[in-house]
Amino acid sequence: MTTEHPTADIVVVGSINADLTVTVARHPAPGETLLGGGGGITAGGKGANQAVAAALQGASVAMVAAVGKDPYAEPATEHLRSSGVNMSSVAEVDETTGLAVITVSEDGENNIVVVPGANATVDAAYVESRADVIAGAGLVLLQGEIPADGFAAAVRLATGRVVVNLAPVIEVDRASLLKADPIMANEHEAGLILEQLGAGIPSEEPTDLAQALLDAGFPSVVLTLGGAGALVADASGVTPIATPSVSSVDSTGAGDAFAGAFVARLVAGDDLVPAAEFAARVGAFSVTGHGAQASYPGPDDALPACE
Ligand code: RIB
């Protein structure tokens, strides 16, 4: 296929952020002021994180996204460029680059507030202007950091597999959302997705949540459970996925590392379960380093294994 914007095995239609990360002994209570450390800007955004994680595992990846014409664009795209992600469908627009303000506590847990900035311009009109790239992809990967109409346009244009990690959970077109195969979510997001679909939340039990997502109409589900691993669910049943036990310093972007590595293995031919088993090891590796993309393993890094 000859296209103006070259296509790739995986096209991520999603966000690029500059992450402003502050370290704190513990997260502040409402109304409280704490002293922290850090304050550096690193590359982030759920879309970019997932694109980088997939590219580092050898997948050919292109991004449909937008950044500002400001000083944050350069650090925000550093790893996209160095990991070989095709950037020809990343627009420079008259908005500020997306910004995420992240606090990381001593136990490695994070809180994140995102200012969309340029990501808000990845709407239906912009996504449609990249129709050839999206239609040419074997797999289109989406998150919840772009406008809902851009999300729906990307699903409509996709001719290959659609994988959705609806983080954060935004209100999207129901039929578009149900094209996700799989839908990837953590337990909190799974509850919000079920609510959005008007389906009941059966219980807090992960197996029940995964089954409820299947019952709501998704062909397959990956429910991520942090340090407890994940569940893969489809018509053949629900399979627990173990995760290696590691010492966490920063969990920022760990779910994105999982998602990117997971789709890299899917396009390489793996089924859902082996792809998720590999992704769990990549996610575990990522929490042992600081930041999002800077903590992701490349093909030569030794991944932790389950005991
Ligand atoms: O998932 C982690 C990411 O969420 C951060 O990189 C931040 O940019 C926000 O999008």
Side-chain angles (χ1 to χ4, degrees), residues 21 26 31 34 55 62 119 129 135-136 139 141 149 190 208 228 231 238 243 252 265 273 276 290 297:
T21 303
R26 60 176 174 80
L34 290 178
N119 298 309
S129 77
L139 185 152
L141 177 60
D149 66 338
D208 292 342
L231 293 178
V238 180
T243 195
T252 306
R265 294 309 311 167
V273 168
H290 291 282

Side-chain angles (χ1 to χ4, degrees), residues 92-118:
E92 281 190 3
V93 298
D94 290 325
E95 301 285 341
T96 54
T97 298
L99 179 68
V101 180
I102 303 175
T103 50
V104 181
S105 58
E106 266 170 8
D107 59 5
E109 284 303 321
N110 63 65
N111 282 332
I112 305 180
V113 177
V114 173
V115 182

Side-chain angles (χ1 to χ4, degrees), residues 43 129 183 213 226 257:
S129 77
I183 181 75
L213 288 166

